[in-house]
Amino acid sequence: MATERTLSIIKPDATKRNLTGKINAKFEEAGLRIVAQKRIHLSKEQVGVFYAVHKERPFYDELCEFMASAPVVVQVLEGEGAISKNREVMGATNPADAAEGTIRAEFAESVGENSVHGSDAPETAAEEISYFFAGLELVG
Ligand code: ADP
Ligand code: MG
């Protein structure tokens, strides 16, 4: 499998509970390398653009409010098959369905406040990375 990069976000529920280090340890233990990382506080408008694909979903407004409610940590993870590997480490969207040992099983509070975001395909990974990072900021 090829080396890939994926966009990860540690969400407000997790940054508020001081879980950035514990979540990063899960990535690193899985062989994912954090090649870029920054803590930012998004506006509701900036979140709205990022999650535009969910605009018609009933939870869109709640999701934008939540993601703008406190700082997030945006990061680029690199590794073999990083996109699917990260989705495995994250666990299912709803923590009630997430496999044991995954980030969402251990840390998520609800289906909405579920601690992490991860890109779902090569095209979205490239788009999402470029939304937050310039090429020069990615340091493998
Ligand atoms: P994932 O983050 O696992 O890729 P989706 O792309 O389907 O999941 O949804 C994006 C985000 O929207 C989720 O991570 C979660 O924060 C929120 N979300 C999804 N489904 C619901 C729901 N039924 N109720 C509230 N929030 C939701
Ligand atoms: Mg998604």
Side-chain angles (χ1 to χ4, degrees):
M1 203 177 278
T3 298
E4 292 176 339
R5 285 174 171 172
T6 190
L7 192 278
S8 166
I9 305 179
I10 301 179
K11 295 184 178 183
D13 67 283
T15 62
K16 278 197 288 194
R17 287 177 290 147
N18 225 14
L19 292 170
T20 299
K22 285 189 173 150
I23 290 173
N24 279 347
K26 294 271 194 194
F27 297 139
E28 293 184 341
E29 281 159 16
L32 292 164
R33 181 174 295 274
I34 302 163
V35 299
Q37 175 167 260
K38 59 191 170 192
R39 184 174 171 102
I40 55 177
H41 195 148
L42 294 164
S43 70
K44 204 177 158 187
E45 291 67 33
Q46 289 168 330
V47 176
V49 171
F50 178 75
Y51 273 129
V53 64
H54 295 306
K55 207 160 33 191
E56 306 306 328
R57 309 279 285 276
F59 56 80
Y60 178 69
D61 198 57
E62 178 192 328
L63 176 62
C64 293
E65 288 277 354
F66 163 60
M67 291 296 287
S69 66
V72 296
V73 175
V74 293
Q75 45 193 193
V76 179
L77 308 179
E78 184 180 87
E80 292 288 298
I83 296 166
S84 61
K85 186 179 281 182
N86 181 40
R87 298 289 310 192
E88 268 172 46
V89 175
M90 289 164 62
T93 307
N94 186 340
D97 304 326
E100 203 181 319
T102 61
I103 291 169
R104 283 166 166 171
E106 281 191 27
F107 302 124
E109 301 200 293
S110 66
V111 64
E113 305 203 1
N114 59 3
S115 304
V116 279
H117 165 85
S119 309
D120 59 12
E123 301 71 33
T124 47
E127 250 174 58
E128 292 177 1
I129 289 169
S130 70
Y131 188 60
F132 291 110
F133 293 97
L136 281 172
E137 294 180 290
L138 310 179
V139 183

